[in-house]
Amino acid sequence: MLILSRKIDEKIKIGNEITLTIIEVKGDQVKVGVEAPKNVKVFRQEVFEAIQKENKAAVDISETSLASLLGK
């Protein structure tokens, strides 16, 4: 993991198309602005993990559940 220190209004560049800007620091909370192309999905970690969990649950259908859906 790369750890960088930044002050308000300073930026971090990721590749050619993604820029992170430190917007505000208040106590233990940091507001970060993200500039990225529309085709790049940006999520908070906990939201990303919830999406992954839901996606896995959606494809984890047992054979009996699938058979009951098919009327077998």
Side-chain angles (χ1 to χ4, degrees):
M1 173 189 304
L2 172 65
I3 299 173
L4 302 170
S5 296
R6 300 278 70 202
K7 295 178 182 177
I8 294 175
D9 292 327
E10 291 185 331
K11 300 176 187 294
I12 298 170
K13 194 75 174 163
I14 301 173
N16 292 325
E17 299 181 320
I18 300 172
T19 303
L20 306 177
T21 304
I22 305 306
I23 305 297
E24 179 180 16
V25 179
K26 189 184 285 186
D28 63 350
Q29 187 176 41
V30 177
K31 289 187 180 177
V32 178
V34 180
E35 294 176 61
K38 290 188 182 232
N39 66 322
V40 175
K41 295 179 180 178
V42 179
F43 299 103
R44 295 187 330 251
Q45 181 69 32
E46 64 275 13
V47 172
F48 180 79
E49 289 171 357
I51 291 168
Q52 294 297 318
K53 183 178 176 183
E54 289 297 318
N55 288 344
K56 287 178 185 175
V59 298
D60 189 25
I61 299 174
S62 68
E63 288 184 22
T64 54
S65 296
L66 185 55
S68 68
L69 288 173
L70 297 173
K72 294 181 179 182

